[in-house]
Amino acid sequence: GDWYLPMPGELYQIYANKTAINKKRTAIKGSGFRESIRYWSSRENSSGSEWTVGLDRGTIYGDSKRYDRIVLGFLALEY
Protein backbone atom coordinates (compact mmCIF):
# COMPACT_ATOMS: atom_id res chain seq x y z
CA GLY A 1 0.00 0.00 0.00
CA ASP A 2 0.92 3.66 -0.29
CA TRP A 3 0.82 6.41 2.33
CA TYR A 4 -1.21 9.53 1.66
CA LEU A 5 -2.58 12.63 3.43
CA PRO A 6 -6.33 12.54 4.00
CA MET A 7 -8.75 14.99 2.43
CA PRO A 8 -10.67 17.38 4.75
CA GLY A 9 -13.77 15.16 4.59
CA GLU A 10 -11.78 12.11 5.66
CA LEU A 11 -10.38 14.02 8.64
CA TYR A 12 -13.92 15.10 9.51
CA GLN A 13 -14.97 11.43 9.50
CA ILE A 14 -12.21 10.75 12.04
CA TYR A 15 -13.65 13.55 14.19
CA ALA A 16 -17.18 12.12 13.85
CA ASN A 17 -15.96 8.66 14.93
CA LYS A 18 -13.08 9.68 17.22
CA THR A 19 -14.45 8.06 20.38
CA ALA A 20 -14.44 4.58 18.80
CA ILE A 21 -11.19 5.22 16.92
CA ASN A 22 -9.41 6.54 20.03
CA LYS A 23 -10.51 3.48 22.01
CA LYS A 24 -8.90 1.14 19.47
CA ARG A 25 -5.89 3.39 18.90
CA THR A 26 -5.19 3.70 22.62
CA ALA A 27 -5.30 -0.10 22.97
CA ILE A 28 -2.72 -0.46 20.18
CA LYS A 29 -0.50 2.59 20.51
CA GLY A 30 -1.18 3.88 24.00
CA SER A 31 -2.55 7.30 23.04
CA GLY A 32 -5.43 8.80 21.12
CA PHE A 33 -5.63 11.84 18.88
CA ARG A 34 -4.57 15.23 20.22
CA GLU A 35 -7.80 17.21 20.15
CA SER A 36 -6.29 20.65 20.72
CA ILE A 37 -4.22 20.41 17.53
CA ARG A 38 -5.31 20.91 13.93
CA TYR A 39 -4.39 18.22 11.42
CA TRP A 40 -3.21 19.01 7.87
CA SER A 41 -5.23 17.73 4.95
CA SER A 42 -4.04 17.07 1.42
CA ARG A 43 -5.95 20.04 -0.04
CA GLU A 44 -4.83 23.61 -0.53
CA ASN A 45 -7.12 26.47 0.40
CA SER A 46 -4.96 28.94 -1.55
CA SER A 47 -1.32 29.24 -2.59
CA GLY A 48 -0.40 30.20 0.99
CA SER A 49 -2.76 28.03 3.01
CA GLU A 50 -4.00 24.46 3.43
CA TRP A 51 -7.22 23.05 4.79
CA THR A 52 -6.86 21.69 8.32
CA VAL A 53 -9.33 20.00 10.65
CA GLY A 54 -9.55 20.44 14.42
CA LEU A 55 -10.54 17.21 16.11
CA ASP A 56 -11.95 19.08 19.11
CA ARG A 57 -15.06 20.27 17.21
CA GLY A 58 -14.57 18.98 13.66
CA THR A 59 -14.10 22.50 12.33
CA ILE A 60 -12.39 22.83 8.95
CA TYR A 61 -9.98 25.78 8.75
CA GLY A 62 -7.92 27.42 6.03
CA ASP A 63 -4.55 27.73 7.82
CA SER A 64 -1.38 29.41 6.70
CA LYS A 65 1.31 26.95 5.62
CA ARG A 66 3.71 28.58 8.07
CA TYR A 67 1.80 27.31 11.12
CA ASP A 68 2.79 24.12 12.92
CA ARG A 69 0.17 21.41 12.51
CA ILE A 70 0.22 17.63 12.77
CA VAL A 71 0.31 15.33 9.76
CA LEU A 72 -1.79 12.20 10.03
CA GLY A 73 -0.77 9.78 7.31
CA PHE A 74 -3.07 7.06 6.02
CA LEU A 75 -1.98 3.76 4.57
CA ALA A 76 -4.07 2.66 1.61
CA LEU A 77 -4.84 -1.04 1.77
CA GLU A 78 -6.53 -3.25 -0.75
CA TYR A 79 -8.89 -5.92 0.51
Side-chain angles (χ1 to χ4, degrees):
D2 296 316
W3 289 96
Y4 72 97
L5 284 177
M7 293 186 297
E10 290 172 310
L11 286 170
Y12 183 83
Q13 288 300 313
I14 289 173
Y15 160 75
N17 296 289
K18 71 180 176 182
T19 301
I21 293 169
N22 271 341
K23 185 176 179 181
K24 297 290 185 183
R25 185 177 165 156
T26 301
I28 295 168
K29 187 179 185 309
S31 65
F33 295 110
R34 293 180 57 190
E35 291 189 17
S36 62
I37 300 292
R38 296 178 190 173
Y39 290 79
W40 288 117
S41 79
S42 61
R43 298 291 184 246
E44 279 189 327
N45 178 33
S46 69
S47 63
S49 67
E50 297 276 341
W51 291 111
T52 62
V53 177
L55 295 184
D56 54 347
R57 286 177 272 207
T59 306
I60 299 173
Y61 302 91
D63 276 336
S64 172
K65 292 179 182 180
R66 65 184 176 175
Y67 293 141
D68 291 334
R69 300 293 182 235
I70 292 179
V71 173
L72 180 62
F74 280 62
L75 179 60
L77 300 173
E78 292 184 33
Y79 59 95

Coordinates of all heavy atoms in Angstrom, one line a residue:
G1 N 0.8 -1.2 0.0 CA 0.0 0.0 0.0 C 0.9 1.2 0.0 O 2.1 1.2 0.2
D2 N 0.2 2.4 -0.2 CA 0.9 3.7 -0.3 C 0.4 4.6 0.8 O -0.8 4.6 1.0 CB 0.7 4.3 -1.7 CG 1.4 3.5 -2.8 OD1 2.5 3.0 -2.6 OD2 0.8 3.4 -3.8
W3 N 1.2 5.4 1.3 CA 0.8 6.4 2.3 C 0.3 7.6 1.6 O 0.7 8.0 0.6 CB 2.0 6.8 3.2 CG 2.5 5.7 4.1 CD1 3.4 4.8 3.9 CD2 1.9 5.4 5.4 NE1 3.6 4.0 5.0 CE2 2.6 4.3 5.9 CE3 0.9 6.0 6.2 CZ2 2.3 3.8 7.2 CZ3 0.6 5.4 7.4 CH2 1.3 4.4 7.9
Y4 N -0.7 8.3 2.2 CA -1.2 9.5 1.7 C -1.8 10.4 2.8 O -2.1 9.9 3.9 CB -2.3 9.3 0.6 CG -3.6 8.8 1.1 CD1 -4.7 9.6 1.4 CD2 -3.8 7.4 1.4 CE1 -5.9 9.2 1.8 CE2 -5.0 7.0 1.9 CZ -6.0 7.9 2.1 OH -7.2 7.4 2.6
L5 N -1.9 11.7 2.5 CA -2.6 12.6 3.4 C -4.1 12.6 3.2 O -4.5 12.6 2.0 CB -2.1 14.0 3.2 CG -0.7 14.4 3.8 CD1 -0.3 15.8 3.5 CD2 -0.7 14.2 5.3
P6 N -4.9 12.6 4.2 CA -6.3 12.5 4.0 C -6.9 13.9 3.5 O -6.3 14.9 3.7 CB -6.9 12.2 5.4 CG -5.8 12.7 6.3 CD -4.5 12.6 5.6
M7 N -8.0 13.8 2.8 CA -8.8 15.0 2.4 C -9.5 15.5 3.7 O -9.7 14.8 4.7 CB -9.7 14.6 1.3 CG -9.0 14.2 0.0 SD -10.1 14.0 -1.4 CE -11.1 12.6 -0.8
P8 N -10.0 16.8 3.6 CA -10.7 17.4 4.7 C -11.9 16.5 5.2 O -12.1 16.3 6.4 CB -11.1 18.8 4.2 CG -10.1 19.1 3.2 CD -9.8 17.8 2.5
G9 N -12.6 16.0 4.2 CA -13.8 15.2 4.6 C -13.4 13.9 5.3 O -14.1 13.4 6.2
E10 N -12.3 13.3 5.0 CA -11.8 12.1 5.7 C -11.4 12.4 7.1 O -11.7 11.7 8.0 CB -10.6 11.5 4.9 CG -11.0 10.9 3.6 CD -9.8 10.4 2.8 OE1 -8.9 11.2 2.6 OE2 -9.9 9.3 2.3
L11 N -10.7 13.6 7.3 CA -10.4 14.0 8.6 C -11.6 14.3 9.5 O -11.7 14.0 10.6 CB -9.5 15.3 8.6 CG -8.1 15.0 8.2 CD1 -7.3 16.3 7.9 CD2 -7.3 14.2 9.2
Y12 N -12.7 14.9 8.8 CA -13.9 15.1 9.5 C -14.6 13.8 9.9 O -15.1 13.7 11.0 CB -14.9 15.9 8.7 CG -16.2 16.2 9.4 CD1 -16.2 17.3 10.3 CD2 -17.3 15.4 9.3 CE1 -17.3 17.5 11.1 CE2 -18.4 15.6 10.1 CZ -18.4 16.7 11.0 OH -19.5 16.9 11.7
Q13 N -14.4 12.7 9.1 CA -15.0 11.4 9.5 C -14.2 10.9 10.7 O -14.9 10.2 11.5 CB -14.9 10.5 8.3 CG -15.9 10.8 7.2 CD -17.3 10.7 7.8 OE1 -17.7 9.8 8.4 NE2 -18.1 11.7 7.4
I14 N -13.0 11.2 10.8 CA -12.2 10.8 12.0 C -12.8 11.5 13.2 O -13.0 10.9 14.3 CB -10.7 11.0 11.9 CG1 -10.1 10.1 10.9 CG2 -10.0 10.9 13.2 CD1 -8.7 10.3 10.5
Y15 N -13.0 12.8 13.1 CA -13.7 13.6 14.2 C -15.0 12.9 14.6 O -15.3 12.7 15.7 CB -13.8 15.0 13.8 CG -14.9 15.7 14.6 CD1 -14.6 16.1 15.9 CD2 -16.2 15.9 14.2 CE1 -15.5 16.7 16.7 CE2 -17.1 16.5 14.9 CZ -16.8 16.9 16.2 OH -17.8 17.4 17.0
A16 N -15.8 12.6 13.6 CA -17.2 12.1 13.8 C -17.2 10.8 14.5 O -18.1 10.4 15.3 CB -18.0 12.0 12.5
N17 N -16.1 10.0 14.3 CA -16.0 8.7 14.9 C -14.8 8.6 15.9 O -14.3 7.5 16.2 CB -15.8 7.6 13.8 CG -17.0 7.6 12.9 OD1 -18.0 7.1 13.3 ND2 -16.9 8.1 11.7
K18 N -14.3 9.7 16.4 CA -13.1 9.7 17.2 C -13.2 8.9 18.5 O -12.2 8.3 19.0 CB -12.6 11.1 17.5 CG -13.4 11.9 18.4 CD -12.9 13.3 18.6 CE -13.8 14.0 19.5 NZ -13.3 15.4 19.7
T19 N -14.3 8.8 19.1 CA -14.4 8.1 20.4 C -14.1 6.6 20.1 O -13.3 6.0 20.8 CB -15.9 8.2 21.0 OG1 -16.1 9.6 21.2 CG2 -16.0 7.4 22.3
A20 N -14.7 6.0 19.1 CA -14.4 4.6 18.8 C -13.0 4.4 18.3 O -12.3 3.4 18.7 CB -15.4 4.1 17.8
I21 N -12.6 5.3 17.5 CA -11.2 5.2 16.9 C -10.2 5.4 18.0 O -9.2 4.6 18.1 CB -11.0 6.3 15.8 CG1 -11.8 6.0 14.6 CG2 -9.5 6.3 15.4 CD1 -11.9 7.1 13.6
N22 N -10.4 6.3 18.9 CA -9.4 6.5 20.0 C -9.4 5.3 21.0 O -8.3 5.0 21.5 CB -9.7 7.8 20.8 CG -9.1 9.0 20.3 OD1 -8.1 8.9 19.5 ND2 -9.6 10.2 20.7
K23 N -10.5 4.7 21.2 CA -10.5 3.5 22.0 C -9.6 2.4 21.4 O -8.8 1.8 22.1 CB -11.9 3.0 22.2 CG -12.1 1.8 23.1 CD -13.6 1.5 23.3 CE -13.7 0.3 24.2 NZ -15.1 -0.1 24.4
K24 N -9.7 2.2 20.1 CA -8.9 1.1 19.5 C -7.5 1.6 19.4 O -6.5 0.8 19.6 CB -9.4 0.9 18.1 CG -10.8 0.3 18.0 CD -10.8 -1.1 18.6 CE -12.2 -1.7 18.4 NZ -12.3 -3.0 18.9
R25 N -7.3 2.9 19.0 CA -5.9 3.4 18.9 C -5.1 3.4 20.2 O -4.0 3.0 20.3 CB -6.0 4.8 18.3 CG -4.6 5.4 18.0 CD -4.8 6.7 17.4 NE -3.5 7.4 17.5 CZ -3.1 8.3 16.7 NH1 -3.8 8.8 15.8 NH2 -1.9 8.8 16.8
T26 N -5.8 3.7 21.3 CA -5.2 3.7 22.6 C -4.8 2.3 23.0 O -3.7 2.1 23.6 CB -6.1 4.3 23.7 OG1 -6.5 5.6 23.3 CG2 -5.5 4.3 25.0
A27 N -5.6 1.3 22.7 CA -5.3 -0.1 23.0 C -4.1 -0.6 22.2 O -3.3 -1.4 22.7 CB -6.5 -1.0 22.6
I28 N -3.9 0.0 21.0 CA -2.7 -0.5 20.2 C -1.5 0.4 20.5 O -0.4 -0.1 20.7 CB -3.1 -0.3 18.7 CG1 -4.2 -1.3 18.3 CG2 -1.9 -0.6 17.8 CD1 -4.8 -1.1 17.0
K29 N -1.6 1.7 20.5 CA -0.5 2.6 20.5 C -0.3 3.2 21.9 O 0.8 3.7 22.2 CB -0.7 3.7 19.5 CG 0.5 4.6 19.3 CD 0.2 5.7 18.2 CE 1.4 6.6 17.9 NZ 2.0 7.2 19.0
G30 N -1.3 3.3 22.7 CA -1.2 3.9 24.0 C -1.6 5.3 24.1 O -1.6 5.9 25.2
S31 N -2.0 5.9 23.0 CA -2.5 7.3 23.0 C -3.5 7.5 21.9 O -3.4 6.9 20.8 CB -1.4 8.3 22.9 OG -0.8 8.2 21.7
G32 N -4.5 8.4 22.1 CA -5.4 8.8 21.1 C -5.0 10.0 20.4 O -3.8 10.5 20.5
F33 N -5.9 10.6 19.6 CA -5.6 11.8 18.9 C -5.5 13.0 19.8 O -6.2 13.1 20.8 CB -6.7 12.1 17.9 CG -6.8 11.1 16.8 CD1 -7.9 10.2 16.8 CD2 -5.9 11.0 15.8 CE1 -8.0 9.3 15.8 CE2 -5.9 10.0 14.9 CZ -7.0 9.2 14.8
R34 N -4.7 14.0 19.5 CA -4.6 15.2 20.2 C -5.7 16.2 19.7 O -5.6 16.6 18.6 CB -3.2 15.8 20.0 CG -2.1 15.0 20.7 CD -0.7 15.6 20.5 NE -0.7 16.9 21.0 CZ 0.4 17.7 20.8 NH1 1.4 17.3 20.0 NH2 0.4 18.9 21.3
E35 N -6.6 16.4 20.6 CA -7.8 17.2 20.2 C -7.5 18.7 20.0 O -8.2 19.4 19.3 CB -9.0 17.0 21.1 CG -9.5 15.6 21.0 CD -10.8 15.4 21.8 OE1 -11.4 16.4 22.2 OE2 -11.1 14.2 22.1
S36 N -6.5 19.2 20.7 CA -6.3 20.6 20.7 C -5.4 21.1 19.5 O -5.1 22.2 19.4 CB -5.6 21.1 22.0 OG -4.4 20.4 22.1
I37 N -5.1 20.1 18.7 CA -4.2 20.4 17.5 C -5.0 20.2 16.2 O -5.9 19.4 16.1 CB -3.0 19.4 17.5 CG1 -2.2 19.6 18.8 CG2 -2.2 19.6 16.3 CD1 -1.5 20.9 18.9
R38 N -4.7 21.1 15.3 CA -5.3 20.9 13.9 C -4.4 20.0 13.1 O -3.2 20.0 13.1 CB -5.5 22.3 13.3 CG -6.4 23.2 14.0 CD -6.5 24.5 13.3 NE -7.2 25.5 14.2 CZ -7.3 26.7 13.9 NH1 -6.8 27.2 12.8 NH2 -8.0 27.5 14.7
Y39 N -5.1 19.2 12.3 CA -4.4 18.2 11.4 C -4.4 18.7 10.0 O -5.5 19.1 9.5 CB -5.0 16.8 11.5 CG -4.8 16.2 12.9 CD1 -5.5 16.5 14.0 CD2 -3.8 15.2 13.0 CE1 -5.3 15.9 15.2 CE2 -3.6 14.6 14.2 CZ -4.3 15.0 15.3 OH -4.1 14.4 16.5
W40 N -3.3 18.6 9.3 CA -3.2 19.0 7.9 C -4.0 18.0 7.0 O -4.0 16.8 7.2 CB -1.8 19.0 7.4 CG -0.9 20.1 7.9 CD1 0.2 19.9 8.7 CD2 -1.0 21.5 7.7 NE1 0.8 21.1 8.9 CE2 0.1 22.1 8.3 CE3 -1.9 22.3 6.9 CZ2 0.3 23.5 8.3 CZ3 -1.7 23.6 6.9 CH2 -0.6 24.2 7.6
S41 N -4.6 18.6 6.0 CA -5.2 17.7 5.0 C -4.4 17.8 3.7 O -3.4 18.5 3.7 CB -6.7 18.2 4.6 OG -6.6 19.3 3.8
S42 N -4.8 17.1 2.7 CA -4.0 17.1 1.4 C -4.5 18.2 0.5 O -4.0 18.2 -0.7 CB -4.2 15.7 0.7 OG -5.6 15.5 0.5
R43 N -5.4 19.0 0.9 CA -6.0 20.0 0.0 C -5.5 21.5 0.3 O -5.5 21.8 1.5 CB -7.5 20.0 0.0 CG -8.0 18.7 -0.5 CD -7.8 18.5 -2.0 NE -8.4 17.3 -2.5 CZ -7.7 16.3 -3.0 NH1 -6.4 16.3 -3.0 NH2 -8.3 15.2 -3.4
E44 N -5.1 22.2 -0.7 CA -4.8 23.6 -0.5 C -6.1 24.4 -0.5 O -7.1 24.2 -1.2 CB -4.0 24.1 -1.7 CG -2.5 23.8 -1.6 CD -1.7 24.6 -2.7 OE1 -2.3 24.8 -3.8 OE2 -0.6 24.9 -2.4
N45 N -6.1 25.5 0.3 CA -7.1 26.5 0.4 C -6.8 27.6 -0.6 O -7.6 28.1 -1.3 CB -7.3 27.0 1.8 CG -8.3 28.0 2.0 OD1 -9.3 28.0 1.3 ND2 -8.1 29.0 2.8
S46 N -5.5 27.9 -0.6 CA -5.0 28.9 -1.6 C -3.5 28.7 -1.7 O -3.0 27.7 -1.1 CB -5.2 30.4 -1.0 OG -4.4 30.6 0.1
S47 N -2.8 29.5 -2.4 CA -1.3 29.2 -2.6 C -0.5 29.3 -1.3 O 0.5 28.8 -1.1 CB -0.7 30.2 -3.6 OG -0.8 31.5 -3.2
G48 N -1.1 30.0 -0.3 CA -0.4 30.2 1.0 C -1.0 29.5 2.2 O -0.6 29.6 3.3
S49 N -2.1 28.7 1.9 CA -2.8 28.0 3.0 C -3.3 26.7 2.6 O -3.5 26.4 1.4 CB -3.9 28.9 3.6 OG -4.9 29.0 2.6
E50 N -3.5 25.8 3.6 CA -4.0 24.5 3.4 C -5.2 24.3 4.3 O -5.4 25.0 5.3 CB -3.0 23.4 3.9 CG -1.7 23.4 3.2 CD -1.7 22.6 1.9 OE1 -2.6 21.7 1.8 OE2 -0.9 22.8 1.1
W51 N -6.1 23.4 3.9 CA -7.2 23.0 4.8 C -6.7 22.2 5.9 O -6.0 21.2 5.7 CB -8.3 22.3 4.0 CG -9.0 23.2 3.0 CD1 -8.9 23.1 1.6 CD2 -9.9 24.3 3.2 NE1 -9.7 24.0 1.0 CE2 -10.3 24.8 2.0 CE3 -10.4 24.9 4.4 CZ2 -11.1 25.9 1.9 CZ3 -11.2 26.0 4.3 CH2 -11.6 26.5 3.0
T52 N -7.2 22.5 7.1 CA -6.9 21.7 8.3 C -8.2 21.4 9.0 O -9.2 22.1 8.8 CB -5.9 22.4 9.3 OG1 -6.5 23.6 9.8 CG2 -4.6 22.8 8.7
V53 N -8.1 20.4 9.9 CA -9.3 20.0 10.7 C -9.0 19.9 12.1 O -8.0 19.2 12.5 CB -9.9 18.7 10.2 CG1 -11.1 18.3 11.0 CG2 -10.3 18.8 8.7
G54 N -9.7 20.6 13.0 CA -9.6 20.4 14.4 C -10.4 19.3 14.9 O -11.6 19.3 14.7
L55 N -9.8 18.4 15.6 CA -10.5 17.2 16.1 C -11.3 17.5 17.4 O -12.0 16.6 17.9 CB -9.6 16.0 16.3 CG -9.0 15.5 15.0 CD1 -8.2 14.2 15.2 CD2 -10.1 15.2 13.9
D56 N -11.2 18.7 17.9 CA -12.0 19.1 19.1 C -13.4 19.3 18.8 O -14.3 18.9 19.5 CB -11.4 20.3 19.8 CG -11.2 21.5 18.9 OD1 -11.3 21.3 17.7 OD2 -10.9 22.6 19.4
R57 N -13.7 20.0 17.6 CA -15.1 20.3 17.2 C -15.4 19.9 15.8 O -16.5 20.1 15.3 CB -15.3 21.8 17.4 CG -15.5 22.2 18.8 CD -15.7 23.6 18.9 NE -14.4 24.2 19.0 CZ -14.1 25.3 19.5 NH1 -15.0 26.1 20.0 NH2 -12.8 25.7 19.6
G58 N -14.4 19.4 15.1 CA -14.6 19.0 13.7 C -14.6 20.2 12.7 O -15.0 20.0 11.6
T59 N -14.1 21.3 13.2 CA -14.1 22.5 12.3 C -13.0 22.4 11.3 O -11.9 22.0 11.6 CB -13.9 23.8 13.2 OG1 -14.9 23.8 14.2 CG2 -14.0 25.0 12.4
I60 N -13.3 22.8 10.0 CA -12.4 22.8 9.0 C -11.9 24.3 8.8 O -12.7 25.2 8.7 CB -13.0 22.3 7.7 CG1 -13.5 20.8 7.9 CG2 -12.1 22.4 6.5 CD1 -14.3 20.3 6.7
Y61 N -10.6 24.5 8.8 CA -10.0 25.8 8.7 C -9.1 25.9 7.5 O -8.5 24.9 7.0 CB -9.1 26.0 10.0 CG -9.7 25.9 11.3 CD1 -9.7 24.7 12.0 CD2 -10.3 27.0 11.9 CE1 -10.3 24.5 13.2 CE2 -10.9 26.9 13.2 CZ -10.9 25.6 13.8 OH -11.5 25.5 15.0
G62 N -8.9 27.1 7.0 CA -7.9 27.4 6.0 C -6.7 28.0 6.8 O -6.8 29.2 7.1
D63 N -5.7 27.3 7.0 CA -4.5 27.7 7.8 C -3.3 28.0 7.0 O -3.1 27.3 6.0 CB -4.1 26.6 8.8 CG -4.9 26.7 10.1 OD1 -5.5 27.7 10.4 OD2 -5.0 25.6 10.8
S64 N -2.6 29.1 7.4 CA -1.4 29.4 6.7 C -0.4 28.2 6.7 O -0.3 27.5 7.7 CB -0.7 30.6 7.4 OG 0.5 30.9 6.9
K65 N 0.3 28.0 5.7 CA 1.3 27.0 5.6 C 2.5 27.1 6.6 O 3.2 26.2 6.9 CB 1.8 26.8 4.2 CG 0.8 26.3 3.2 CD 1.4 26.2 1.8 CE 0.3 25.8 0.9 NZ 0.8 25.7 -0.5
R66 N 2.6 28.3 7.1 CA 3.7 28.6 8.1 C 3.4 28.1 9.5 O 4.3 28.1 10.3 CB 4.1 30.1 8.1 CG 3.0 30.9 8.6 CD 3.4 32.4 8.5 NE 2.2 33.1 8.9 CZ 2.1 34.4 9.1 NH1 3.1 35.1 8.8 NH2 1.0 35.0 9.5
Y67 N 2.2 27.8 9.8 CA 1.8 27.3 11.1 C 2.2 25.9 11.3 O 2.2 25.1 10.4 CB 0.3 27.4 11.4 CG -0.2 28.8 11.4 CD1 -1.4 29.1 10.9 CD2 0.5 29.8 12.0 CE1 -1.9 30.4 10.9 CE2 0.0 31.1 12.1 CZ -1.2 31.4 11.6 OH -1.7 32.7 11.6
D68 N 2.5 25.5 12.6 CA 2.8 24.1 12.9 C 1.5 23.4 13.1 O 0.6 23.8 13.9 CB 3.6 24.0 14.2 CG 5.0 24.5 14.0 OD1 5.5 24.5 12.9 OD2 5.6 25.0 15.0
R69 N 1.3 22.3 12.4 CA 0.2 21.4 12.5 C 0.7 20.0 12.5 O 1.8 19.7 12.1 CB -0.8 21.6 11.4 CG -1.4 23.1 11.3 CD -2.3 23.4 12.5 NE -2.8 24.7 12.4 CZ -2.7 25.6 13.4 NH1 -2.0 25.4 14.4 NH2 -3.2 26.8 13.2
I70 N -0.2 19.0 12.8 CA 0.2 17.6 12.8 C -0.2 17.0 11.5 O -1.3 17.3 10.9 CB -0.4 16.9 14.0 CG1 0.2 17.4 15.3 CG2 -0.2 15.4 13.9 CD1 -0.3 16.8 16.5
V71 N 0.6 16.1 11.0 CA 0.3 15.3 9.8 C -0.1 14.0 10.2 O 0.5 13.3 11.0 CB 1.5 15.2 8.8 CG1 1.3 14.3 7.7 CG2 1.9 16.6 8.3
L72 N -1.3 13.5 9.7 CA -1.8 12.2 10.0 C -1.8 11.4 8.7 O -2.7 11.6 7.9 CB -3.2 12.3 10.6 CG -3.9 11.1 11.0 CD1 -3.1 10.3 12.1 CD2 -5.3 11.4 11.5
G73 N -0.9 10.5 8.5 CA -0.8 9.8 7.3 C -1.7 8.6 7.3 O -1.9 8.0 8.4
F74 N -2.2 8.2 6.2 CA -3.1 7.1 6.0 C -2.3 6.1 5.2 O -1.6 6.4 4.2 CB -4.4 7.4 5.3 CG -5.4 8.0 6.2 CD1 -5.2 9.2 6.8 CD2 -6.6 7.4 6.4 CE1 -6.2 9.8 7.6 CE2 -7.6 8.0 7.2 CZ -7.4 9.2 7.8
L75 N -2.5 4.8 5.4 CA -2.0 3.8 4.6 C -3.1 3.1 3.8 O -4.1 2.6 4.4 CB -1.3 2.7 5.4 CG -0.7 1.5 4.7 CD1 0.4 2.0 3.7 CD2 -0.1 0.5 5.7
A76 N -3.0 3.2 2.5 CA -4.1 2.7 1.6 C -3.9 1.2 1.5 O -2.8 0.7 1.2 CB -4.0 3.3 0.2
L77 N -4.9 0.4 1.8 CA -4.8 -1.0 1.8 C -5.9 -1.6 0.8 O -7.0 -1.0 0.7 CB -5.1 -1.6 3.2 CG -4.2 -1.2 4.3 CD1 -4.7 -1.8 5.6 CD2 -2.8 -1.8 4.0
E78 N -5.6 -2.6 0.1 CA -6.5 -3.2 -0.7 C -7.0 -4.5 0.0 O -6.3 -5.2 0.6 CB -5.9 -3.6 -2.1 CG -5.5 -2.5 -2.9 CD -5.0 -2.9 -4.3 OE1 -5.4 -3.9 -4.8 OE2 -4.1 -2.2 -4.8
Y79 N -8.3 -4.7 -0.1 CA -8.9 -5.9 0.5 C -9.9 -6.6 -0.4 O -10.3 -6.0 -1.3 CB -9.5 -5.6 1.9 CG -10.6 -4.6 1.9 CD1 -11.9 -5.0 1.9 CD2 -10.3 -3.2 2.0 CE1 -12.9 -4.0 1.9 CE2 -11.2 -2.3 2.0 CZ -12.6 -2.7 2.0 OH -13.6 -1.8 2.0

